């Protein structure tokens, strides 16, 4: 009997350890499988919220912050330019804060919970500062050596492409710059263009002289982070090279190597929006738009749509708040003198008609997306906001690209976006992180051409406001149709016409 007790106790301990091991293995399996998205020490799950005051100023931001705290939220960033704050809170916060005095709207910016708010970030305050992407990845390429590209020829930014000219050439010798009507690099050097995207590799030879560190930052969690290099892409996030590709289309240097941008010599503010979860959340967009505007950007390129909802509908209070917040930020940038340019999207959908959204919410950790049938009141952010120059895509022949979204009154103009099924010769070749090059196709690429054209016009007419610059581009587009007279009359796809440098 004396030996039985210890033996039973040992077996019991071994049994408990075995049960604990099984529970641990089960928990790991659930986490990896997405059934348990986050586990925190406190066991609490937070969502991020944008809270908007009725007044769009610093006093409104203060009020929104006070009311958010009173409703149980933790404020991590204020946006005094538009009277809004970013807060993190647990369940029921939005319903509580919407009823408080002086609050115009509040909405969750994500559907997947996180363990808690982001940690402290030095200097993340606009008051002490300066006053899912639309493309498909392709394999990287050899140095194009600035061969004449069909996309630049189509908009009048390069000489015509000879039928026998190869688009790519390996180890080609530097060439003389083609004779174009673009402003000298010195004039473009006075123009700042913001690329709000997945980050920009400013070490790329084509972009080394273009990216302005003083005007660049990360807004990957809704707070401006101006630490050196924060704007560079995160290699651990898919599509991280997208922003470098877009920046190359806008302003890659003309030096005989690599590719040439629409506006070589322009200054680029690289603003990384893409966060570690691979999302372009509304607070990231708001932060980036305000940062770019306060640093004097004349054009702001937006080649993405806001996550987690591909389209935001006014009848949903969360989505309505996100549309209002991003709308305030866009309007602020426009008042500060920026032309806001956005891609129309790659879903082959009529933005002026009923359509189906089968991808939202795209930050879910398990289960299928909602199958939403949407009306015209549901909009893409930021492309369908007032005053935004929304760009559809055409292929090398000038025909609407098969993937491009369209819509009467929803597309401002068209620009080269390329065809992903026609190989390198029919796609858009531009820069890729690590000194490489890639051929992509999408309305992302089309929007970048327009942003470069905005920079050219701004350099020639520094006193023009955003409305007059946009008008100049639409007037020039009306006279440019690669298909010949009358070939670009369908305004659903072309808007005013195909981009041309005025």
């Amino acid at each position: 009997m004396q030996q039985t007790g210890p033996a039973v106790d040992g077996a019991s301990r071994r049994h408990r350890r075995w049960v604990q091991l099984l529970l641990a293995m089960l928990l790991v399996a659930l986490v990896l499988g997405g059934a348990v998205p986050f586990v925190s020490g406190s066991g609490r799950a937070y969502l991020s919220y944008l809270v908007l005051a009725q007044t769009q100023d610093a006093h409104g931001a203060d009020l929104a912050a006070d009311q958010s705290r009173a409703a149980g939220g933790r404020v991590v960033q204020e946006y005094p330019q538009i009277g809004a704050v970013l807060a993190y809170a647990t369940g029921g916060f939005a319903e509580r804060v919407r009823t408080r005095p002086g609050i115009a709207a509040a909405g969750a910016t994500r559907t997947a919970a996180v363990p808690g708010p982001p940690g402290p970030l030095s200097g993340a305050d606009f008051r002490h500062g300066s006053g899912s992407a639309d493309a498909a990845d392709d394999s990287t390429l050899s140095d194009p050596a600035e061969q004449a590209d069909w996309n630049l020829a189509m908009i009048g930014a390069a000489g015509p492409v000879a039928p026998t000219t190869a688009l790519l050439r390996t180890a080609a010798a530097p060439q003389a710059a083609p004779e174009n009507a673009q402003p000298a690099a010195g004039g473009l050097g006075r123009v700042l263009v913001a690329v709000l995207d997945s980050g920009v590799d400013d070490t790329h030879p084509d972009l080394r002289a273009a990216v302005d560190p003083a005007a660049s930052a990360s807004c990957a969690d809704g707070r401006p982070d101006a630490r050196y290099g924060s704007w560079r892409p995160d290699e651990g996030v898919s599509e991280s090279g997208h922003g470098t590709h877009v920046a190359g289309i806008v302003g890659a240097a003309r030096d005989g190597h690599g590719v040439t941008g629409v506006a070589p010599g322009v200054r680029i503010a690289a603003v990384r929006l893409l966060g570690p979860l691979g999302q372009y959340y509304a607070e990231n967009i708001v932060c980036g738009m305000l940062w770019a505007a306060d640093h004097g950007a004349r054009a702001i390129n937006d080649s993405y749509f806001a996550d987690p909802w591909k389209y935001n509908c006014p009848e949903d209070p969360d989505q309505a708040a996100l549309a209002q917040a991003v709308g305030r930020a866009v309007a602020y940038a426009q008042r500060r003198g920026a032309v806001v340019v956005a891609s129309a999207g790659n879903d082959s959908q009529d933005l002026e008609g009923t359509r189906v959204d089968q991808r939202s919410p795209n930050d879910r950790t398990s289960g299928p997306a909602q199958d939403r049938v949407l009306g015209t009141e549901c909009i893409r952010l930021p492309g369908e906001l007032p005053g935004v120059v929304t760009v559809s895509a055409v292929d090398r022949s000038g025909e609407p690209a098969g993937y491009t979204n369209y819509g009467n009154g929803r597309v401002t103009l068209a620009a080269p976006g390329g065809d992903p099924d026609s190989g390198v010769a029919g796609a858009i070749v531009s820069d890729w992180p690590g000194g490489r090059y890639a051929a992509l196709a999408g309305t992302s690429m089309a929007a970048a051409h327009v942003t470069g054209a905005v920079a050219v016009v701004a350099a020639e007419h520094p006193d023009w406001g955003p409305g007059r610059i946009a008008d100049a581009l639409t007037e020039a587009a009306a006279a440019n149709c690669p298909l010949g007279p009358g070939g670009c009359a369908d305004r659903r796809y072309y808007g005013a016409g195909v981009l041309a440098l005025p």
Side-chain angles (χ1 to χ4, degrees):
M1 294 293 295
Q2 293 178 346
Q3 296 180 350
T4 303
V8 171
D9 291 343
S12 178
R13 285 194 296 271
R14 287 194 297 273
H15 177 72
R16 286 196 298 270
R17 286 198 297 270
W18 177 243
V19 171
Q20 291 170 350
L21 178 60
L22 283 176
L23 288 174
M25 293 172 64
L26 178 60
L27 180 59
V28 170
L30 287 172
V31 172
L32 293 177
V36 182
F38 297 97
V39 177
S40 65
S42 65
R44 305 182 71 185
Y46 287 79
L47 293 178
S48 50
Y49 297 85
L50 284 171
V51 182
L52 287 72
Q54 291 172 354
T55 56
Q56 301 185 39
D57 53 23
H59 294 296
D62 289 338
L63 183 146
D66 291 341
Q67 299 291 33
S68 295
R69 295 185 185 101
R74 295 172 61 181
V75 176
V76 300
Q77 182 64 50
E78 294 190 17
Y79 306 111
Q81 303 94 323
I82 61 170
V85 301
L86 170 64
Y88 279 71
T90 54
F93 170 78
E95 291 77 7
R96 293 191 299 272
V97 77
R98 286 177 192 140
T99 64
R100 301 195 68 85
I103 298 301
T109 68
R110 65 183 71 212
T111 67
V114 293
L121 179 64
S122 175
D125 189 345
F126 283 106
R127 298 171 195 257
H128 299 95
S130 61
S132 271
D134 290 318
D137 188 3
D138 199 351
S139 58
T140 55
L141 309 169
S142 303
D143 183 353
E146 289 188 353
Q147 297 302 297
D149 294 329
W150 66 268
N151 51 306
L152 297 183
M154 181 179 287
I155 68 172
V161 180
T164 57
T165 300
L167 183 63
L168 297 180
R169 189 164 65 198
T170 304
Q175 303 175 40
E179 295 181 2
N180 299 324
Q182 294 163 296
L188 279 165
R190 293 190 291 270
V191 176
L192 181 70
V193 168
V195 175
L196 276 56
D197 214 289
S198 63
V200 176
D201 179 9
D202 59 311
T203 69
H204 194 291
D206 281 347
L207 298 170
R208 197 173 289 148
V211 175
D212 183 351
S216 300
S218 170
C219 280
D221 64 4
R223 303 176 298 171
D225 179 4
R227 290 175 295 181
Y228 190 83
S230 63
W231 55 82
R232 292 173 182 157
D234 182 350
E235 294 181 357
V237 180
S238 62
E239 299 183 3
S240 63
H242 184 272
T244 302
H245 195 277
V246 166
I249 296 171
V250 173
R254 173 172 287 138
D255 57 6
H257 299 282
V259 297
T260 302
V262 175
V266 73
R267 290 166 52 229
I268 293 176
V271 184
R272 181 162 73 93
L273 302 188
L274 193 64
L277 299 179
Q279 303 290 330
Y280 293 85
Y281 285 124
E283 64 263 31
N284 304 12
I285 301 170
V286 168
C287 171
M289 200 72 64
L290 300 180
W291 174 273
D294 283 348
H295 283 77
R298 298 302 310 277
I300 301 176
N301 190 87
D302 303 274
S303 291
Y304 57 85
F305 64 88
D307 298 313
W309 306 100
K310 171 158 279 196
Y311 298 95
N312 289 265
C313 302
E315 61 267 22
D316 182 288
D318 287 320
Q319 295 169 36
L322 305 189
Q324 188 172 342
V326 176
R328 286 187 182 186
V330 166
Y332 176 83
Q334 292 165 336
R335 291 194 301 270
R336 298 278 293 187
V339 178
V340 180
V341 181
S343 53
N346 300 339
D347 300 301
S348 307
Q349 291 184 329
D350 183 357
L351 300 177
E352 186 56 20
T354 301
R355 54 202 181 278
V356 178
D357 175 13
Q358 296 177 316
R359 293 179 56 181
S360 303
N362 61 9
D363 66 345
R364 65 192 183 280
T365 57
S366 64
Q370 299 179 16
D371 195 357
R372 305 194 300 163
V373 178
L374 309 175
T376 57
E377 76 280 2
C378 301
I379 61 172
R380 280 174 56 99
L381 298 176
E384 292 186 82
L385 290 168
V388 173
V389 176
T390 304
V391 188
S392 64
V394 296
D395 62 19
R396 183 169 183 153
S397 70
E399 294 282 354
Y403 52 78
T404 190
N405 286 350
Y406 55 96
N408 217 358
R410 302 296 178 103
V411 170
T412 308
L413 72 168
D419 179 359
D421 298 323
S422 62
V424 171
I428 308 296
V429 177
S430 186
D431 301 321
W432 197 252
R436 296 172 293 171
Y437 305 89
L440 307 185
T443 55
S444 284
M445 288 64 252
H449 286 83
V450 174
T451 297
V454 170
V456 171
V457 177
E460 294 177 341
H461 304 282
D463 57 328
W464 283 11
R468 191 169 182 184
I469 292 174
D471 288 345
L473 291 179
T474 55
E475 290 170 8
N480 184 35
C481 181
L483 301 176
C488 303
D490 192 338
R491 296 182 67 85
R492 295 177 304 162
Y493 290 95
Y494 292 98
V498 177
L499 174 69
L501 291 184

